[in-house]
Amino acid sequence: MMSALVQWVSNGLVALGLLFITAAIIGLYRLPSVLTRVHATGAVPFGGVLVIIGATLATEDGWLLMRGLLVAAFLMLTIPSSAHAIAWLAEKRPELAHEKGQRHRHGPEDPERR
């Protein structure tokens, strides 16, 4: 009985994690500027952690679960750091940002400034 419950919980965690990752991918594809895209990818570490924990929980192996938690911790540390670096670069170099993001941030372009 306990094994069936563990399987249901692990399947639920994997499905929920994949839902978060799918939402982040859709946001990355559909949103207009770099800063909003970076914000949308904030769900990836949480979704990745859920998928890893769900998959390792299904094996019922303690060592594999510990390694999965180590990989999840690595994801939680590196993905937000890289997203911060991308957002910082987009803020410092607006010519690298998407056109809509530039218009939103800087307002309409003044033709006399050219």
Side-chain angles (χ1 to χ4, degrees):
M1 181 65 179
M2 189 62 167
S3 179
L5 179 65
V6 170
Q7 290 297 320
W8 277 98
V9 169
S10 66
N11 288 340
L13 287 174
V14 169
L16 187 63
L18 290 176
L19 183 70
F20 274 100
I21 292 172
T22 303
I25 290 171
I26 291 170
L28 184 64
Y29 178 71
R30 301 277 317 241
L31 292 174
S33 70
V34 172
L35 296 177
T36 56
R37 287 179 182 172
V38 168
H39 179 73
T41 59
V44 171
F46 184 65
V49 167
L50 288 178
V51 169
I52 290 170
I53 291 175
T56 57
L57 190 64
T59 64
E60 297 179 7
D61 183 13
W63 286 107
L64 188 61
L65 182 61
M66 292 302 287
R67 284 185 257 165
L69 290 174
L70 187 62
V71 169
F74 182 73
L75 280 176
M76 294 296 284
L77 289 174
T78 57
I79 291 177
S81 300
S82 61
H84 175 73
I86 292 169
W88 182 81
L89 182 64
E91 186 70 25
K92 296 295 179 192
R93 307 238 350 239
E95 66 272 7
L96 298 177
H98 193 270
E99 183 182 356
K100 289 182 183 178
Q102 288 180 1
R103 276 199 309 258
H104 176 69
R105 213 178 98 218
H106 296 296
E109 178 134 359
D110 186 8
E112 293 179 2
R113 289 179 62 190
R114 290 185 188 195

